[in-house]
Amino acid sequence: MVALDFLIDESELSEAASGNFDDGVLLHTCLLMPIRFAVDGHELLRSPDSASDRIPGPLLHWATIGVSLIESLPNHRRAIYSVPGTGNSLRFVVARDDVWITSSLNGQSGCAALTDLIAAARHFRASVRELLVTRLPAIGARPHWSNTLNQP
């Protein structure tokens, strides 16, 4: 089982709605939302010094670069996602139809079916797209985000 989701932080939405940020700033430093990523019951983003299963992360980075990396796994078989703002990474290794994911944040590892991981990643991207369309339409309508987030 794969859980990849986020909680909405209203203050981040307000800040993004009130500013005129370029796409690079939006990608890396705006819309910091609490993100959870769990595989096979292992919380990959739980910090060793925190009880929370979530870390604040730039939502658009996860929904674009992170999801793209996961979608590339059938062809590339290995990948490393640098978790923004943490100095840590998630290592992905495909073995047959499964993928092993290891977090340098806490040493946790989990295994999931590659198809389940890709489905969870695409659902995450669709949830981000829905958030932009409904709550931040000026950002969601920008060509870069509408093109990038409108993948299947």
Side-chain angles (χ1 to χ4, degrees):
M1 180 175 149
V2 178
L4 178 57
D5 59 46
F6 64 93
L7 298 175
I8 295 174
D9 181 332
E10 293 294 336
S11 64
E12 288 289 322
L13 286 177
S14 295
E15 183 180 337
S18 65
N20 187 18
F21 302 108
D22 69 29
D23 288 338
V25 171
L26 288 170
L27 180 68
H28 293 285
T29 62
C30 288
L31 296 172
L32 299 177
M33 305 283 179
I35 296 173
R36 176 179 179 235
F37 188 23
V39 175
D40 196 27
H42 300 277
E43 296 292 341
L44 300 176
L45 300 179
R46 179 183 290 151
S47 173
D49 58 348
S50 172
S52 176
D53 295 337
R54 299 175 183 278
I55 61 168
L59 202 55
L60 292 172
H61 194 282
W62 280 82
T64 56
I65 295 170
V67 171
S68 177
L69 180 140
I70 290 170
E71 289 179 321
S72 76
L73 287 172
N75 295 325
H76 296 252
R77 314 300 285 176
R78 293 176 181 266
I80 296 174
Y81 178 65
S82 296
V83 180
T86 68
N88 291 287
S89 62
L90 296 168
R91 180 178 306 269
F92 298 81
V93 178
V94 176
R96 296 188 184 178
D97 295 332
D98 294 328
V99 59
W100 282 93
I101 305 142
T102 304
S103 171
S104 71
L105 180 69
N106 59 21
Q108 292 284 309
S109 293
C111 182
L114 180 57
T115 55
D116 291 347
L117 178 62
I118 291 172
R122 288 177 174 167
H123 182 265
F124 183 88
R125 180 174 56 210
S127 297
V128 172
R129 178 178 57 241
E130 181 66 20
L131 177 68
L132 291 183
V133 167
T134 59
R135 303 286 303 273
L136 298 169
I139 294 172
R142 291 184 185 182
H144 178 74
W145 301 119
S146 61
N147 293 338
T148 306
L149 296 172
N150 278 325
Q151 304 295 317

